[in-house]
């Protein structure tokens, strides 16, 4: 073989593949990362130290924020559980998505989920925790909607009870040592014998799942849907204290009412376990190829014997769970991805749960294959200037007389009691740049903006056979 032939072979076998790999890396087409999405339940915008909380201690999540990115204008999909989770899974806001309230309506076969998109792209997919989008025997069970593995509660009311007598593993019932009189699969109940705390079981499952992925050639998607700090509403009604937690921990000797001690202890327990998961990723060497999100499904509750004002759970925001004011739908969001997300950054990018499906799809180099209301947030995560923005965000809610809301730039519009008169219910208008607490309704001073907001509300609402105003 002469010199020129040798040179040609070297170029073909070594140099060209090297150049191609560099180009692939530069174009963002490197191996897709693992994705973990941690969803708290009824955690308020002001419940974390990094978002201003003074009395409830959350050092692990605060450290996560220091090592990652905090979002200050991120919104949940709804102001209650099931529809909020539906927007995560379908990428559609509540004017378009299939499940718009807490009724037990399962996702139909026609609905494409985030898990299905990632699974098709080669991801191992797992859901641990609370589902709420389809009960046993329906078309909406997790294993029929893209999850390879599921462990937890299928029904959102069953999830009220942290000491349930059973959970589900895939579609098989797993008996637990707790005793709950008259328990069904669709109600929480109150345990008389309490031995196994469901949140702790979820953490164990999550750590084991991540451990198993270390040797896998496939990336993974873990949807870790914790139930803390949701109340056990049945215990709240029967006992006046629905904040079920094994112990009050560091809050034991405070002079707070017991439900408030339990609420704080729940949040600190959640914080501890988020820290355990991040430490596990680091110890396994998976941290630099795993992006972790932490958020909450809606604003803080006032259930189970607590008052959300006691520890300022909604910060400076107005309202709480079941409101479409900021306190009901603006939630914390922290994104953590060592080596990719610049540490200690804050973003005011206006985003919502329906952005997660396109964001995960872009992270996973996956074909969405379905229409969404979302916009990928990956440019913001990577500190790039080409982030597309929403013209507006929209919500609708069917309880408490029916409500609608729009966030458009600095403006926030809210309509209440729309079941009485859907077309003519008045619009409240707030300037969030000057009045984030929504204390001054400026609708009368801005009639043209009010008119445009009402028009957007009408355009964003589609009819549903299951949810009507």
């Amino acid at each position: 073989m002469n010199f020129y032939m040798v040179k040609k072979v070297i170029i073909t076998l070594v140099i060209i593949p090297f150049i191609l790999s560099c180009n692939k890396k530069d174009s963002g087409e490197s191996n897709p990362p693992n994705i973990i999405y941690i969803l708290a339940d009824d955690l308020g915008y002001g419940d974390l130290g990094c978002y201003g909380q003074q009395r409830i201690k959350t050092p692990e999540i605060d450290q996560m924020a220091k090592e990652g990115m905090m979002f200050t204008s991120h919104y949940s999909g709804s102001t209650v559980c099931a529809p909020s989770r539906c927007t995560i899974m379908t990428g559609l806001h509540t004017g378009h998505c299939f499940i718009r309230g807490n009724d037990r309506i399962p996702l139909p076969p026609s609905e494409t989920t985030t898990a299905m998109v990632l699974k098709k792209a080669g991801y191992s997919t797992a859901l641990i925790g609370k589902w709420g989008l389809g009960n046993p025997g329906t078309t909406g069970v997790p294993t029929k909607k893209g999850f390879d593995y599921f462990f937890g509660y299928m029904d959102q009311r069953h999830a009220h009870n942290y000491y349930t007598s059973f959970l589900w593993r895939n579609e098989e019932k797993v008996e637990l040592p707790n005793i709950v009189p008259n328990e069904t699969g669709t109600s929480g109940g109150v345990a008389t014998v309490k031995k196994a705390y469901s949140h702790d079981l979820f953490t164990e499952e999550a750590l084991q799942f991540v451990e198993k992925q270390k040797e896998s050639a496939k990336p993974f998607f873990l949807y870790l849907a914790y139930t803390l700090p949701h109340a056990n509403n049945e215990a709240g009604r029967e006992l006046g204290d629905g904040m079920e937690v094994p112990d009050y921990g560091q809050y034991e000797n405070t002079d707070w009412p017991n439900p408030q001690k339990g609420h704080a202890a729940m949040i600190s327990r959640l914080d501890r376990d988020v820290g355990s998961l991040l430490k596990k990723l680091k110890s396994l060497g998976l941290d630099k190829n795993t992006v972790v999100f932490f958020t909450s499904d809606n604003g803080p509750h006032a259930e189970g014997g607590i008052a959300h004002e006691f520890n300022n759970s909604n910060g400076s925001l107005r309202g709480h769970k079941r409101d479409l004011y900021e306190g009901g739908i603006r939630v914390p969001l922290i994104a953590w991805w060592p080596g990719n997300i610049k540490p200690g950054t804050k973003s005011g990018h206006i985003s919502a749960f329906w952005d997660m499906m396109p964001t995960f799809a872009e992270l996973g180099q996956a074909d969405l294959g379905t229409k969404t209301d979302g916009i990928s947030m990956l440019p913001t995560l990577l500190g790039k200037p080409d982030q597309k923005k929403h013209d507006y965000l929209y919500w609708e809610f069917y309880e408490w007389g029916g409500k609608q809301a729009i966030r458009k730039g600095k403006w926030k519009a809210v309509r209440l009691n729309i079941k009485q008169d859907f077309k003519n219910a008045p619009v409240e208008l707030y300037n969030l740049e000057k009045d984030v607490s929504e204390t001054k309704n400026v609708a009368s001073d801005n009639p043209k903006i009010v008119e445009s907001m009402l028009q957007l509300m009408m355009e964003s609402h589609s009819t549903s056979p299951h949810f009507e105003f």
Side-chain angles (χ1 to χ4, degrees):
M1 184 179 293
N2 63 36
F3 170 76
Y4 294 103
M5 291 183 67
V6 171
K7 184 178 179 181
K8 187 175 181 180
V9 169
I10 292 173
I11 291 173
T12 303
L13 297 180
V14 179
I15 297 177
I16 290 177
F18 174 75
I19 292 171
L20 290 174
S21 68
C22 289
N23 288 340
K24 184 177 180 180
K25 186 174 183 180
D26 290 342
S27 67
E29 295 180 5
S30 55
N31 292 333
N34 307 309
I35 301 169
I36 299 178
Y37 188 73
I38 307 173
L39 186 68
D41 200 337
D42 293 358
L43 182 80
Y45 187 83
D47 273 330
L48 303 174
C50 51
Y51 281 86
Q53 177 57 232
Q54 298 294 314
R55 301 207 292 178
I56 301 173
K57 304 305 178 185
T58 56
E60 300 293 344
I61 297 173
D62 297 345
Q63 183 62 32
M64 181 184 180
K66 291 177 182 177
E67 296 176 6
M69 178 180 287
M70 279 178 56
F71 287 78
T72 57
S73 292
H74 186 66
Y75 290 87
S76 63
S78 181
T79 188
V80 293
C81 166
S84 201
R85 292 156 201 268
C86 186
T87 67
I88 296 167
M89 283 293 107
T90 64
L92 300 172
H93 63 56
T94 45
H96 295 152
C97 69
F98 190 81
I99 297 174
R100 306 184 190 183
N102 267 341
D103 305 45
R104 293 186 179 92
I105 298 171
L107 288 174
S110 58
E111 291 290 309
T112 299
T113 68
T114 300
M116 292 164 70
V117 169
L118 291 174
K119 183 175 181 178
K120 188 175 180 180
Y123 274 71
S124 297
T125 57
L127 163 60
I128 297 171
K130 173 177 166 181
W131 178 232
L133 302 179
N135 278 3
T138 72
T139 58
V141 297
T143 49
K144 292 179 181 176
K145 303 311 297 180
F147 288 101
D148 299 317
Y149 179 74
F150 166 65
F151 178 74
Y153 301 97
M154 288 198 202
D155 185 273
Q156 58 264 35
R157 292 183 190 172
H158 179 209
H160 291 176
N161 189 355
Y162 290 86
Y163 291 100
T164 176
S165 66
F166 69 94
L167 292 169
W168 295 94
R169 177 170 282 113
N170 299 324
E171 296 183 53
E172 298 295 326
K173 185 180 287 189
V174 177
E175 302 292 339
L176 300 178
N178 307 312
I179 296 177
V180 185
N182 304 316
E183 184 179 30
T184 70
T186 55
S187 66
V190 182
T192 54
V193 175
K194 301 180 178 182
K195 293 185 177 181
Y197 192 61
S198 61
H199 169 85
D200 294 350
L201 299 180
F202 297 154
T203 298
E204 292 172 13
E205 289 275 334
L207 294 175
Q208 289 172 14
F209 174 80
V210 169
E211 184 87 42
K212 291 176 183 177
Q213 304 312 305
K214 180 173 171 55
E215 304 304 326
S216 174
K218 299 172 67 174
F220 69 83
F221 169 53
L222 171 60
Y223 175 24
L224 182 52
Y226 279 130
T227 49
L228 293 177
H230 196 291
N232 182 333
N233 293 346
E234 289 79 13
R237 287 191 291 269
E238 292 180 23
L239 307 174
D241 182 0
M243 308 313 295
E244 290 186 321
V245 67
D247 59 73
Y248 294 144
Q250 60 192 297
Y251 309 101
E252 177 68 48
N253 295 321
T254 63
D255 59 357
W256 305 351
N258 283 347
Q260 298 293 166
K261 293 180 183 180
H263 179 255
M266 283 176 154
I267 294 172
S268 289
R269 198 177 196 89
L270 171 66
D271 176 75
R272 177 199 71 186
D273 291 344
V274 170
S276 296
L277 182 58
L278 299 185
K279 290 181 177 71
K280 173 65 72 173
L281 292 171
K282 291 177 180 178
S283 70
L284 295 172
L286 295 174
D287 53 321
K288 289 180 172 56
N289 195 40
T290 304
V291 55
V292 183
F293 298 87
F294 176 87
T295 189
S296 173
D297 67 343
N298 47 249
H301 67 74
E303 301 164 355
I306 75 160
H308 67 84
E309 304 94 342
F310 187 86
N311 279 323
N312 202 28
S313 288
N314 56 357
S316 59
L317 306 180
R318 176 182 178 180
H320 53 89
K321 181 178 179 179
R322 289 187 169 81
D323 286 320
L324 289 183
Y325 295 114
E326 294 289 284
I329 52 177
R330 191 187 293 210
V331 291
L333 173 66
I334 301 168
W336 181 91
W337 190 9
N340 294 279
I341 293 175
K342 185 179 179 181
T345 52
K346 286 187 179 182
S347 174
H349 175 62
I350 299 172
S351 56
F353 278 10
W354 47 93
D355 292 326
M356 303 321 298
M357 177 187 267
T359 301
F360 294 169
E362 188 171 6
L363 280 165
Q365 301 170 22
D367 180 13
L368 266 176
T370 186
K371 184 179 178 180
T372 78
D373 294 312
I375 298 173
S376 171
M377 297 161 54
L378 186 57
T380 294
L381 296 175
L382 299 179
K384 295 182 178 180
D386 56 341
Q387 175 67 61
K388 294 180 181 179
K389 298 181 180 180
H390 287 281
D391 182 37
Y392 64 93
L393 301 177
Y394 172 77
W395 298 265
E396 60 187 42
F397 183 56
Y398 290 76
E399 298 178 28
W400 292 8
K403 306 175 182 183
Q404 289 175 296
I406 291 272
R407 169 79 195 263
K408 182 177 174 64
K410 68 180 180 180
W411 297 108
K412 174 74 177 296
V414 179
R415 286 210 308 162
L416 307 178
N417 299 314
I418 61 177
K419 288 185 178 180
Q420 295 180 9
D421 190 345
F422 180 66
K423 291 185 178 181
N424 300 307
V427 175
E428 300 174 14
L429 185 69
Y430 302 93
N431 183 338
L432 296 182
E433 285 185 359
K434 297 180 179 179
D435 181 24
V436 73
S437 302
E438 296 169 293
T439 60
K440 186 178 180 182
N441 180 4
V442 295
S444 61
D445 299 329
N446 299 276
K448 290 186 177 179
I449 295 174
V450 168
E451 183 180 352
S452 68
M453 291 292 207
L454 181 58
Q455 183 64 32
L456 289 175
M457 288 177 177
M458 294 303 179
E459 292 173 359
S460 300
H461 168 71
S462 65
T463 58
S464 164
H466 303 290
F467 300 94
E468 297 180 1
F469 284 130

